[in-house]
Each structure stands twice: as structure tokens, then as C-alpha cells.
Amino acid sequence: MVGGGKARRLPRVVRERQMLDAAVRSFARHGYQAASMDEIAELAGVSKPLVYLYLNSKEELFTAVIRREAQALLGVVAEAVVGRGGPPDERLWAGLLAFFSYAAEHPDAWTVLSVRARTQGEPFAGEAARMRDEITAFVAGLIGEAAR
């Protein structure tokens, strides 16, 4: 609290981002089953009931994490390729570099996407498979362009 007044309320989008960031850390460290909503709430600096109010259940929270992190990864790769002119082989290289750079710079997100989501069964494995299929199709298109 500042000046003895009430603590400032954060916009929902900011609070939700805090919760998702905390969930990424927890799911990466412990896996889906062992991650606790108590720890996620504590890491986010919110109450456990608020996590449930915003994200409904642990399953929906994990799904939201997978979707958010997959979209972030795909966005970085697309931006590296689409925002770049030049020959297709250079664009392919830029996309691959962006992919691996993102994975290296966001190890918790990468762990969630490459290990945790894939090994938890449905519906999580399906979310991970959709991301993998989208990246595969994107890269295949670049390879096809480079081959022409």
C-alpha cells in the first residue's frame, strides 16, 4: 500500500498474465500433476480463489499456458520469416534461428511445450500436436519455396 491507502487494483489482463507466468514456472518445474494451485497463486502474488475465478480449473490453466506459449513461439518464428525479405533459404534460416533462440531464452515455456504438454495425455497432447503441426507446415512451406 502506498500512503496508507488501498492497494491499486491491476487490470484483469495484467493479473491474468501474472498468473500464467507463474503457472509456466510451476508446470515446467513440477509437471502438470505435481504443480500446485497454491504455489501458482503464491508465485503470482494472488489468492488461490482468484486463480480459480480467472482460470476456472487447473486443467483450463494448463491449457491456457500451452496455448499462450505456443502462440508466442509461433509468433516469433512468423515475425522472423514474414517480416524479412530475401531468398527463401535465408528466411528459413531466420525462422529456425528464431525458433531455437526462443526456446533457449524461454526454457520454462519450452519445457512446458516440448515435454510437459506432450506427455500428459489429452487434451494437452492435442494442443502440443497442433502447435507442432503448425510449425511443421510453416517450415515445410519455406523448404518448398527454397527448393523451387
PDB file of all heavy atoms in Angstrom, residues 85-124:
ATOM      1  N   GLY A  85      12.575  -9.890 -46.041  1.00  0.00           N
ATOM      2  CA  GLY A  85      12.626 -10.176 -47.467  1.00  0.00           C
ATOM      3  C   GLY A  85      13.782 -11.121 -47.739  1.00  0.00           C
ATOM      4  O   GLY A  85      14.373 -11.686 -46.831  1.00  0.00           O
ATOM      5  N   GLY A  86      14.063 -11.298 -48.976  1.00  0.00           N
ATOM      6  CA  GLY A  86      15.218 -12.103 -49.332  1.00  0.00           C
ATOM      7  C   GLY A  86      14.837 -13.487 -49.796  1.00  0.00           C
ATOM      8  O   GLY A  86      13.664 -13.864 -49.816  1.00  0.00           O
ATOM      9  N   PRO A  87      15.850 -14.257 -50.145  1.00  0.00           N
ATOM     10  CA  PRO A  87      15.621 -15.607 -50.664  1.00  0.00           C
ATOM     11  C   PRO A  87      15.000 -16.527 -49.615  1.00  0.00           C
ATOM     12  O   PRO A  87      15.204 -16.346 -48.416  1.00  0.00           O
ATOM     13  CB  PRO A  87      17.029 -16.090 -51.044  1.00  0.00           C
ATOM     14  CG  PRO A  87      17.938 -14.930 -50.914  1.00  0.00           C
ATOM     15  CD  PRO A  87      17.246 -13.884 -50.112  1.00  0.00           C
ATOM     16  N   PRO A  88      14.257 -17.528 -50.073  1.00  0.00           N
ATOM     17  CA  PRO A  88      13.585 -18.453 -49.144  1.00  0.00           C
ATOM     18  C   PRO A  88      14.555 -19.167 -48.192  1.00  0.00           C
ATOM     19  O   PRO A  88      14.204 -19.398 -47.034  1.00  0.00           O
ATOM     20  CB  PRO A  88      12.899 -19.455 -50.064  1.00  0.00           C
ATOM     21  CG  PRO A  88      12.710 -18.721 -51.345  1.00  0.00           C
ATOM     22  CD  PRO A  88      13.871 -17.791 -51.460  1.00  0.00           C
ATOM     23  N   ASP A  89      15.761 -19.513 -48.651  1.00  0.00           N
ATOM     24  CA  ASP A  89      16.681 -20.212 -47.759  1.00  0.00           C
ATOM     25  C   ASP A  89      17.125 -19.312 -46.604  1.00  0.00           C
ATOM     26  O   ASP A  89      17.280 -19.774 -45.478  1.00  0.00           O
ATOM     27  CB  ASP A  89      17.890 -20.770 -48.519  1.00  0.00           C
ATOM     28  CG  ASP A  89      18.706 -19.711 -49.233  1.00  0.00           C
ATOM     29  OD1 ASP A  89      18.120 -18.708 -49.687  1.00  0.00           O
ATOM     30  OD2 ASP A  89      19.938 -19.893 -49.330  1.00  0.00           O
ATOM     31  N   GLU A  90      17.259 -18.008 -46.859  1.00  0.00           N
ATOM     32  CA  GLU A  90      17.600 -17.079 -45.778  1.00  0.00           C
ATOM     33  C   GLU A  90      16.428 -16.912 -44.814  1.00  0.00           C
ATOM     34  O   GLU A  90      16.616 -16.797 -43.609  1.00  0.00           O
ATOM     35  CB  GLU A  90      18.011 -15.725 -46.352  1.00  0.00           C
ATOM     36  CG  GLU A  90      19.369 -15.732 -46.999  1.00  0.00           C
ATOM     37  CD  GLU A  90      19.753 -14.371 -47.553  1.00  0.00           C
ATOM     38  OE1 GLU A  90      19.117 -13.349 -47.190  1.00  0.00           O
ATOM     39  OE2 GLU A  90      20.693 -14.330 -48.366  1.00  0.00           O
ATOM     40  N   ARG A  91      15.225 -16.902 -45.343  1.00  0.00           N
ATOM     41  CA  ARG A  91      14.026 -16.803 -44.495  1.00  0.00           C
ATOM     42  C   ARG A  91      13.874 -18.060 -43.650  1.00  0.00           C
ATOM     43  O   ARG A  91      13.522 -17.978 -42.474  1.00  0.00           O
ATOM     44  CB  ARG A  91      12.792 -16.554 -45.361  1.00  0.00           C
ATOM     45  CG  ARG A  91      12.849 -15.157 -46.000  1.00  0.00           C
ATOM     46  CD  ARG A  91      11.721 -14.840 -46.950  1.00  0.00           C
ATOM     47  NE  ARG A  91      10.428 -15.169 -46.430  1.00  0.00           N
ATOM     48  CZ  ARG A  91       9.501 -15.848 -47.119  1.00  0.00           C
ATOM     49  NH1 ARG A  91       9.731 -16.233 -48.362  1.00  0.00           N
ATOM     50  NH2 ARG A  91       8.337 -16.108 -46.583  1.00  0.00           N
ATOM     51  N   LEU A  92      14.150 -19.218 -44.245  1.00  0.00           N
ATOM     52  CA  LEU A  92      14.111 -20.473 -43.485  1.00  0.00           C
ATOM     53  C   LEU A  92      15.116 -20.417 -42.343  1.00  0.00           C
ATOM     54  O   LEU A  92      14.793 -20.758 -41.206  1.00  0.00           O
ATOM     55  CB  LEU A  92      14.393 -21.664 -44.402  1.00  0.00           C
ATOM     56  CG  LEU A  92      14.512 -23.026 -43.717  1.00  0.00           C
ATOM     57  CD1 LEU A  92      13.212 -23.387 -43.000  1.00  0.00           C
ATOM     58  CD2 LEU A  92      14.875 -24.097 -44.744  1.00  0.00           C
ATOM     59  N   TRP A  93      16.336 -19.998 -42.652  1.00  0.00           N
ATOM     60  CA  TRP A  93      17.364 -19.901 -41.617  1.00  0.00           C
ATOM     61  C   TRP A  93      16.927 -18.941 -40.511  1.00  0.00           C
ATOM     62  O   TRP A  93      17.094 -19.228 -39.325  1.00  0.00           O
ATOM     63  CB  TRP A  93      18.692 -19.452 -42.229  1.00  0.00           C
ATOM     64  CG  TRP A  93      19.752 -19.252 -41.200  1.00  0.00           C
ATOM     65  CD1 TRP A  93      20.297 -18.077 -40.804  1.00  0.00           C
ATOM     66  CD2 TRP A  93      20.370 -20.269 -40.402  1.00  0.00           C
ATOM     67  NE1 TRP A  93      21.219 -18.284 -39.815  1.00  0.00           N
ATOM     68  CE2 TRP A  93      21.290 -19.631 -39.552  1.00  0.00           C
ATOM     69  CE3 TRP A  93      20.239 -21.661 -40.334  1.00  0.00           C
ATOM     70  CZ2 TRP A  93      22.075 -20.317 -38.632  1.00  0.00           C
ATOM     71  CZ3 TRP A  93      21.025 -22.349 -39.417  1.00  0.00           C
ATOM     72  CH2 TRP A  93      21.925 -21.685 -38.582  1.00  0.00           C
ATOM     73  N   ALA A  94      16.341 -17.799 -40.881  1.00  0.00           N
ATOM     74  CA  ALA A  94      15.869 -16.826 -39.890  1.00  0.00           C
ATOM     75  C   ALA A  94      14.786 -17.438 -39.000  1.00  0.00           C
ATOM     76  O   ALA A  94      14.770 -17.216 -37.784  1.00  0.00           O
ATOM     77  CB  ALA A  94      15.343 -15.568 -40.586  1.00  0.00           C
ATOM     78  N   GLY A  95      13.896 -18.226 -39.596  1.00  0.00           N
ATOM     79  CA  GLY A  95      12.842 -18.880 -38.815  1.00  0.00           C
ATOM     80  C   GLY A  95      13.404 -19.909 -37.854  1.00  0.00           C
ATOM     81  O   GLY A  95      12.989 -19.980 -36.693  1.00  0.00           O
ATOM     82  N   LEU A  96      14.351 -20.699 -38.326  1.00  0.00           N
ATOM     83  CA  LEU A  96      14.971 -21.704 -37.452  1.00  0.00           C
ATOM     84  C   LEU A  96      15.740 -21.033 -36.315  1.00  0.00           C
ATOM     85  O   LEU A  96      15.666 -21.467 -35.160  1.00  0.00           O
ATOM     86  CB  LEU A  96      15.895 -22.617 -38.260  1.00  0.00           C
ATOM     87  CG  LEU A  96      15.198 -23.545 -39.244  1.00  0.00           C
ATOM     88  CD1 LEU A  96      16.224 -24.251 -40.134  1.00  0.00           C
ATOM     89  CD2 LEU A  96      14.332 -24.559 -38.514  1.00  0.00           C
ATOM     90  N   LEU A  97      16.465 -19.994 -36.641  1.00  0.00           N
ATOM     91  CA  LEU A  97      17.203 -19.258 -35.623  1.00  0.00           C
ATOM     92  C   LEU A  97      16.252 -18.663 -34.584  1.00  0.00           C
ATOM     93  O   LEU A  97      16.508 -18.739 -33.380  1.00  0.00           O
ATOM     94  CB  LEU A  97      18.045 -18.158 -36.281  1.00  0.00           C
ATOM     95  CG  LEU A  97      18.945 -17.363 -35.353  1.00  0.00           C
ATOM     96  CD1 LEU A  97      19.945 -18.271 -34.644  1.00  0.00           C
ATOM     97  CD2 LEU A  97      19.678 -16.284 -36.142  1.00  0.00           C
ATOM     98  N   ALA A  98      15.150 -18.104 -35.047  1.00  0.00           N
ATOM     99  CA  ALA A  98      14.156 -17.539 -34.125  1.00  0.00           C
ATOM    100  C   ALA A  98      13.574 -18.627 -33.226  1.00  0.00           C
ATOM    101  O   ALA A  98      13.404 -18.420 -32.021  1.00  0.00           O
ATOM    102  CB  ALA A  98      13.045 -16.843 -34.911  1.00  0.00           C
ATOM    103  N   PHE A  99      13.272 -19.784 -33.805  1.00  0.00           N
ATOM    104  CA  PHE A  99      12.713 -20.901 -33.042  1.00  0.00           C
ATOM    105  C   PHE A  99      13.659 -21.321 -31.923  1.00  0.00           C
ATOM    106  O   PHE A  99      13.286 -21.388 -30.751  1.00  0.00           O
ATOM    107  CB  PHE A  99      12.435 -22.082 -33.976  1.00  0.00           C
ATOM    108  CG  PHE A  99      11.883 -23.293 -33.287  1.00  0.00           C
ATOM    109  CD1 PHE A  99      10.525 -23.485 -33.204  1.00  0.00           C
ATOM    110  CD2 PHE A  99      12.729 -24.240 -32.728  1.00  0.00           C
ATOM    111  CE1 PHE A  99       9.998 -24.609 -32.572  1.00  0.00           C
ATOM    112  CE2 PHE A  99      12.221 -25.363 -32.093  1.00  0.00           C
ATOM    113  CZ  PHE A  99      10.851 -25.548 -32.016  1.00  0.00           C
ATOM    114  N   PHE A 100      14.909 -21.592 -32.288  1.00  0.00           N
ATOM    115  CA  PHE A 100      15.865 -22.074 -31.289  1.00  0.00           C
ATOM    116  C   PHE A 100      16.263 -20.992 -30.299  1.00  0.00           C
ATOM    117  O   PHE A 100      16.494 -21.282 -29.116  1.00  0.00           O
ATOM    118  CB  PHE A 100      17.080 -22.698 -31.972  1.00  0.00           C
ATOM    119  CG  PHE A 100      16.757 -24.010 -32.623  1.00  0.00           C
ATOM    120  CD1 PHE A 100      16.806 -24.146 -34.006  1.00  0.00           C
ATOM    121  CD2 PHE A 100      16.358 -25.111 -31.873  1.00  0.00           C
ATOM    122  CE1 PHE A 100      16.482 -25.352 -34.625  1.00  0.00           C
ATOM    123  CE2 PHE A 100      16.024 -26.318 -32.468  1.00  0.00           C
ATOM    124  CZ  PHE A 100      16.097 -26.435 -33.846  1.00  0.00           C
ATOM    125  N   SER A 101      16.317 -19.748 -30.736  1.00  0.00           N
ATOM    126  CA  SER A 101      16.604 -18.640 -29.819  1.00  0.00           C
ATOM    127  C   SER A 101      15.486 -18.501 -28.795  1.00  0.00           C
ATOM    128  O   SER A 101      15.742 -18.324 -27.603  1.00  0.00           O
ATOM    129  CB  SER A 101      16.774 -17.324 -30.583  1.00  0.00           C
ATOM    130  OG  SER A 101      17.905 -17.373 -31.398  1.00  0.00           O
ATOM    131  N   TYR A 102      14.251 -18.602 -29.258  1.00  0.00           N
ATOM    132  CA  TYR A 102      13.114 -18.501 -28.345  1.00  0.00           C
ATOM    133  C   TYR A 102      13.155 -19.628 -27.316  1.00  0.00           C
ATOM    134  O   TYR A 102      12.973 -19.397 -26.121  1.00  0.00           O
ATOM    135  CB  TYR A 102      11.785 -18.534 -29.112  1.00  0.00           C
ATOM    136  CG  TYR A 102      10.604 -18.292 -28.213  1.00  0.00           C
ATOM    137  CD1 TYR A 102      10.175 -17.000 -27.952  1.00  0.00           C
ATOM    138  CD2 TYR A 102       9.934 -19.342 -27.595  1.00  0.00           C
ATOM    139  CE1 TYR A 102       9.106 -16.755 -27.103  1.00  0.00           C
ATOM    140  CE2 TYR A 102       8.872 -19.107 -26.748  1.00  0.00           C
ATOM    141  CZ  TYR A 102       8.458 -17.817 -26.504  1.00  0.00           C
ATOM    142  OH  TYR A 102       7.409 -17.582 -25.648  1.00  0.00           O
ATOM    143  N   ALA A 103      13.411 -20.835 -27.782  1.00  0.00           N
ATOM    144  CA  ALA A 103      13.478 -21.977 -26.857  1.00  0.00           C
ATOM    145  C   ALA A 103      14.583 -21.778 -25.826  1.00  0.00           C
ATOM    146  O   ALA A 103      14.385 -22.072 -24.639  1.00  0.00           O
ATOM    147  CB  ALA A 103      13.686 -23.274 -27.638  1.00  0.00           C
ATOM    148  N   ALA A 104      15.730 -21.260 -26.251  1.00  0.00           N
ATOM    149  CA  ALA A 104      16.850 -21.035 -25.329  1.00  0.00           C
ATOM    150  C   ALA A 104      16.562 -19.905 -24.346  1.00  0.00           C
ATOM    151  O   ALA A 104      16.937 -19.988 -23.170  1.00  0.00           O
ATOM    152  CB  ALA A 104      18.124 -20.734 -26.117  1.00  0.00           C
ATOM    153  N   GLU A 105      15.877 -18.876 -24.803  1.00  0.00           N
ATOM    154  CA  GLU A 105      15.593 -17.711 -23.963  1.00  0.00           C
ATOM    155  C   GLU A 105      14.396 -17.922 -23.034  1.00  0.00           C
ATOM    156  O   GLU A 105      14.222 -17.166 -22.075  1.00  0.00           O
ATOM    157  CB  GLU A 105      15.359 -16.484 -24.845  1.00  0.00           C
ATOM    158  CG  GLU A 105      16.609 -16.032 -25.568  1.00  0.00           C
ATOM    159  CD  GLU A 105      16.321 -15.055 -26.698  1.00  0.00           C
ATOM    160  OE1 GLU A 105      15.166 -14.571 -26.813  1.00  0.00           O
ATOM    161  OE2 GLU A 105      17.252 -14.783 -27.477  1.00  0.00           O
ATOM    162  N   HIS A 106      13.562 -18.903 -23.331  1.00  0.00           N
ATOM    163  CA  HIS A 106      12.362 -19.184 -22.533  1.00  0.00           C
ATOM    164  C   HIS A 106      12.336 -20.674 -22.164  1.00  0.00           C
ATOM    165  O   HIS A 106      11.449 -21.412 -22.619  1.00  0.00           O
ATOM    166  CB  HIS A 106      11.106 -18.795 -23.319  1.00  0.00           C
ATOM    167  CG  HIS A 106      11.069 -17.358 -23.700  1.00  0.00           C
ATOM    168  ND1 HIS A 106      11.622 -16.883 -24.866  1.00  0.00           N
ATOM    169  CD2 HIS A 106      10.574 -16.277 -23.050  1.00  0.00           C
ATOM    170  CE1 HIS A 106      11.455 -15.580 -24.928  1.00  0.00           C
ATOM    171  NE2 HIS A 106      10.823 -15.187 -23.840  1.00  0.00           N
ATOM    172  N   PRO A 107      13.287 -21.111 -21.343  1.00  0.00           N
ATOM    173  CA  PRO A 107      13.389 -22.548 -21.067  1.00  0.00           C
ATOM    174  C   PRO A 107      12.152 -23.139 -20.389  1.00  0.00           C
ATOM    175  O   PRO A 107      11.797 -24.286 -20.665  1.00  0.00           O
ATOM    176  CB  PRO A 107      14.632 -22.665 -20.191  1.00  0.00           C
ATOM    177  CG  PRO A 107      14.845 -21.299 -19.622  1.00  0.00           C
ATOM    178  CD  PRO A 107      14.305 -20.340 -20.634  1.00  0.00           C
ATOM    179  N   ASP A 108      11.493 -22.385 -19.518  1.00  0.00           N
ATOM    180  CA  ASP A 108      10.290 -22.921 -18.872  1.00  0.00           C
ATOM    181  C   ASP A 108       9.174 -23.117 -19.896  1.00  0.00           C
ATOM    182  O   ASP A 108       8.488 -24.146 -19.888  1.00  0.00           O
ATOM    183  CB  ASP A 108       9.816 -22.003 -17.744  1.00  0.00           C
ATOM    184  CG  ASP A 108      10.712 -22.065 -16.522  1.00  0.00           C
ATOM    185  OD1 ASP A 108      11.523 -23.019 -16.401  1.00  0.00           O
ATOM    186  OD2 ASP A 108      10.618 -21.156 -15.674  1.00  0.00           O
ATOM    187  N   ALA A 109       8.992 -22.149 -20.775  1.00  0.00           N
ATOM    188  CA  ALA A 109       7.969 -22.272 -21.817  1.00  0.00           C
ATOM    189  C   ALA A 109       8.287 -23.463 -22.713  1.00  0.00           C
ATOM    190  O   ALA A 109       7.397 -24.250 -23.058  1.00  0.00           O
ATOM    191  CB  ALA A 109       7.882 -20.990 -22.641  1.00  0.00           C
ATOM    192  N   TRP A 110       9.540 -23.610 -23.083  1.00  0.00           N
ATOM    193  CA  TRP A 110       9.937 -24.709 -23.945  1.00  0.00           C
ATOM    194  C   TRP A 110       9.715 -26.056 -23.254  1.00  0.00           C
ATOM    195  O   TRP A 110       9.246 -27.010 -23.869  1.00  0.00           O
ATOM    196  CB  TRP A 110      11.390 -24.563 -24.397  1.00  0.00           C
ATOM    197  CG  TRP A 110      11.808 -25.683 -25.277  1.00  0.00           C
ATOM    198  CD1 TRP A 110      12.755 -26.620 -25.012  1.00  0.00           C
ATOM    199  CD2 TRP A 110      11.259 -26.028 -26.558  1.00  0.00           C
ATOM    200  NE1 TRP A 110      12.839 -27.525 -26.045  1.00  0.00           N
ATOM    201  CE2 TRP A 110      11.930 -27.173 -27.009  1.00  0.00           C
ATOM    202  CE3 TRP A 110      10.265 -25.469 -27.356  1.00  0.00           C
ATOM    203  CZ2 TRP A 110      11.641 -27.782 -28.233  1.00  0.00           C
ATOM    204  CZ3 TRP A 110       9.982 -26.077 -28.574  1.00  0.00           C
ATOM    205  CH2 TRP A 110      10.671 -27.212 -28.997  1.00  0.00           C
ATOM    206  N   THR A 111      10.016 -26.138 -21.964  1.00  0.00           N
ATOM    207  CA  THR A 111       9.777 -27.377 -21.213  1.00  0.00           C
ATOM    208  C   THR A 111       8.295 -27.723 -21.201  1.00  0.00           C
ATOM    209  O   THR A 111       7.913 -28.873 -21.407  1.00  0.00           O
ATOM    210  CB  THR A 111      10.311 -27.251 -19.772  1.00  0.00           C
ATOM    211  OG1 THR A 111      11.731 -27.055 -19.830  1.00  0.00           O
ATOM    212  CG2 THR A 111      10.005 -28.488 -18.949  1.00  0.00           C
ATOM    213  N   VAL A 112       7.456 -26.725 -20.982  1.00  0.00           N
ATOM    214  CA  VAL A 112       6.010 -26.966 -20.988  1.00  0.00           C
ATOM    215  C   VAL A 112       5.563 -27.484 -22.353  1.00  0.00           C
ATOM    216  O   VAL A 112       4.827 -28.468 -22.445  1.00  0.00           O
ATOM    217  CB  VAL A 112       5.229 -25.697 -20.591  1.00  0.00           C
ATOM    218  CG1 VAL A 112       3.744 -25.846 -20.881  1.00  0.00           C
ATOM    219  CG2 VAL A 112       5.440 -25.381 -19.119  1.00  0.00           C
ATOM    220  N   LEU A 113       6.025 -26.838 -23.419  1.00  0.00           N
ATOM    221  CA  LEU A 113       5.582 -27.210 -24.767  1.00  0.00           C
ATOM    222  C   LEU A 113       6.173 -28.529 -25.245  1.00  0.00           C
ATOM    223  O   LEU A 113       5.478 -29.327 -25.875  1.00  0.00           O
ATOM    224  CB  LEU A 113       5.940 -26.110 -25.762  1.00  0.00           C
ATOM    225  CG  LEU A 113       5.187 -24.800 -25.606  1.00  0.00           C
ATOM    226  CD1 LEU A 113       5.763 -23.744 -26.537  1.00  0.00           C
ATOM    227  CD2 LEU A 113       3.702 -24.990 -25.843  1.00  0.00           C
ATOM    228  N   SER A 114       7.433 -28.751 -24.988  1.00  0.00           N
ATOM    229  CA  SER A 114       8.106 -29.910 -25.580  1.00  0.00           C
ATOM    230  C   SER A 114       8.041 -31.165 -24.728  1.00  0.00           C
ATOM    231  O   SER A 114       8.186 -32.259 -25.254  1.00  0.00           O
ATOM    232  CB  SER A 114       9.567 -29.575 -25.873  1.00  0.00           C
ATOM    233  OG  SER A 114      10.271 -29.357 -24.662  1.00  0.00           O
ATOM    234  N   VAL A 115       7.806 -31.014 -23.432  1.00  0.00           N
ATOM    235  CA  VAL A 115       7.794 -32.183 -22.549  1.00  0.00           C
ATOM    236  C   VAL A 115       6.472 -32.308 -21.809  1.00  0.00           C
ATOM    237  O   VAL A 115       5.767 -33.305 -21.949  1.00  0.00           O
ATOM    238  CB  VAL A 115       8.961 -32.124 -21.523  1.00  0.00           C
ATOM    239  CG1 VAL A 115       8.920 -33.319 -20.588  1.00  0.00           C
ATOM    240  CG2 VAL A 115      10.296 -32.024 -22.224  1.00  0.00           C
ATOM    241  N   ARG A 116       6.156 -31.311 -21.017  1.00  0.00           N
ATOM    242  CA  ARG A 116       5.004 -31.414 -20.104  1.00  0.00           C
ATOM    243  C   ARG A 116       3.682 -31.608 -20.843  1.00  0.00           C
ATOM    244  O   ARG A 116       2.901 -32.488 -20.498  1.00  0.00           O
ATOM    245  CB  ARG A 116       4.921 -30.197 -19.196  1.00  0.00           C
ATOM    246  CG  ARG A 116       6.157 -29.932 -18.363  1.00  0.00           C
ATOM    247  CD  ARG A 116       6.506 -31.078 -17.470  1.00  0.00           C
ATOM    248  NE  ARG A 116       7.592 -30.651 -16.557  1.00  0.00           N
ATOM    249  CZ  ARG A 116       8.300 -31.484 -15.855  1.00  0.00           C
ATOM    250  NH1 ARG A 116       8.088 -32.784 -15.949  1.00  0.00           N
ATOM    251  NH2 ARG A 116       9.237 -31.044 -15.053  1.00  0.00           N
ATOM    252  N   ALA A 117       3.397 -30.789 -21.832  1.00  0.00           N
ATOM    253  CA  ALA A 117       2.122 -30.883 -22.550  1.00  0.00           C
ATOM    254  C   ALA A 117       2.021 -32.195 -23.316  1.00  0.00           C
ATOM    255  O   ALA A 117       0.978 -32.854 -23.315  1.00  0.00           O
ATOM    256  CB  ALA A 117       1.961 -29.704 -23.503  1.00  0.00           C
ATOM    257  N   ARG A 118       3.104 -32.558 -23.949  1.00  0.00           N
ATOM    258  CA  ARG A 118       3.115 -33.741 -24.807  1.00  0.00           C
ATOM    259  C   ARG A 118       2.929 -35.037 -24.021  1.00  0.00           C
ATOM    260  O   ARG A 118       2.340 -35.991 -24.522  1.00  0.00           O
ATOM    261  CB  ARG A 118       4.448 -33.756 -25.561  1.00  0.00           C
ATOM    262  CG  ARG A 118       4.553 -34.695 -26.688  1.00  0.00           C
ATOM    263  CD  ARG A 118       5.872 -34.537 -27.431  1.00  0.00           C
ATOM    264  NE  ARG A 118       7.055 -34.455 -26.580  1.00  0.00           N
ATOM    265  CZ  ARG A 118       7.656 -35.507 -26.018  1.00  0.00           C
ATOM    266  NH1 ARG A 118       7.195 -36.705 -26.214  1.00  0.00           N
ATOM    267  NH2 ARG A 118       8.722 -35.334 -25.265  1.00  0.00           N
ATOM    268  N   THR A 119       3.395 -35.067 -22.786  1.00  0.00           N
ATOM    269  CA  THR A 119       3.378 -36.313 -22.016  1.00  0.00           C
ATOM    270  C   THR A 119       2.193 -36.436 -21.060  1.00  0.00           C
ATOM    271  O   THR A 119       2.092 -37.442 -20.354  1.00  0.00           O
ATOM    272  CB  THR A 119       4.682 -36.460 -21.207  1.00  0.00           C
ATOM    273  OG1 THR A 119       4.808 -35.349 -20.318  1.00  0.00           O
ATOM    274  CG2 THR A 119       5.880 -36.527 -22.132  1.00  0.00           C
ATOM    275  N   GLN A 120       1.297 -35.472 -21.045  1.00  0.00           N
ATOM    276  CA  GLN A 120       0.170 -35.501 -20.107  1.00  0.00           C
ATOM    277  C   GLN A 120      -1.094 -36.128 -20.673  1.00  0.00           C
ATOM    278  O   GLN A 120      -2.084 -36.200 -19.985  1.00  0.00           O
ATOM    279  CB  GLN A 120      -0.155 -34.088 -19.621  1.00  0.00           C
ATOM    280  CG  GLN A 120       0.743 -33.619 -18.534  1.00  0.00           C
ATOM    281  CD  GLN A 120       0.791 -34.572 -17.370  1.00  0.00           C
ATOM    282  OE1 GLN A 120      -0.215 -34.895 -16.753  1.00  0.00           O
ATOM    283  NE2 GLN A 120       1.972 -35.054 -17.056  1.00  0.00           N
ATOM    284  N   GLY A 121      -1.074 -36.561 -21.905  1.00  0.00           N
ATOM    285  CA  GLY A 121      -2.287 -37.118 -22.495  1.00  0.00           C
ATOM    286  C   GLY A 121      -3.220 -36.006 -22.924  1.00  0.00           C
ATOM    287  O   GLY A 121      -2.876 -34.837 -22.926  1.00  0.00           O
ATOM    288  N   GLU A 122      -4.415 -36.406 -23.305  1.00  0.00           N
ATOM    289  CA  GLU A 122      -5.394 -35.438 -23.803  1.00  0.00           C
ATOM    290  C   GLU A 122      -6.023 -34.676 -22.652  1.00  0.00           C
ATOM    291  O   GLU A 122      -6.135 -35.212 -21.563  1.00  0.00           O
ATOM    292  CB  GLU A 122      -6.464 -36.158 -24.621  1.00  0.00           C
ATOM    293  CG  GLU A 122      -5.955 -36.714 -25.935  1.00  0.00           C
ATOM    294  CD  GLU A 122      -5.282 -35.681 -26.826  1.00  0.00           C
ATOM    295  OE1 GLU A 122      -5.709 -34.498 -26.835  1.00  0.00           O
ATOM    296  OE2 GLU A 122      -4.330 -36.037 -27.511  1.00  0.00           O
ATOM    297  N   PRO A 123      -6.399 -33.454 -22.882  1.00  0.00           N
ATOM    298  CA  PRO A 123      -6.404 -32.693 -24.125  1.00  0.00           C
ATOM    299  C   PRO A 123      -5.076 -31.978 -24.400  1.00  0.00           C
ATOM    300  O   PRO A 123      -4.909 -31.359 -25.438  1.00  0.00           O
ATOM    301  CB  PRO A 123      -7.509 -31.655 -23.900  1.00  0.00           C
ATOM    302  CG  PRO A 123      -7.419 -31.367 -22.443  1.00  0.00           C
ATOM    303  CD  PRO A 123      -7.054 -32.705 -21.798  1.00  0.00           C
ATOM    304  N   PHE A 124      -4.130 -32.098 -23.472  1.00  0.00           N
ATOM    305  CA  PHE A 124      -2.890 -31.326 -23.562  1.00  0.00           C
ATOM    306  C   PHE A 124      -2.006 -31.763 -24.723  1.00  0.00           C
ATOM    307  O   PHE A 124      -1.430 -30.930 -25.413  1.00  0.00           O
ATOM    308  CB  PHE A 124      -2.123 -31.412 -22.247  1.00  0.00           C
ATOM    309  CG  PHE A 124      -2.985 -31.151 -21.045  1.00  0.00           C
ATOM    310  CD1 PHE A 124      -3.079 -32.070 -20.025  1.00  0.00           C
ATOM    311  CD2 PHE A 124      -3.728 -29.979 -20.950  1.00  0.00           C
ATOM    312  CE1 PHE A 124      -3.877 -31.835 -18.922  1.00  0.00           C
ATOM    313  CE2 PHE A 124      -4.539 -29.731 -19.852  1.00  0.00           C
ATOM    314  CZ  PHE A 124      -4.610 -30.666 -18.830  1.00  0.00           C
TER     315      PHE A 124
END
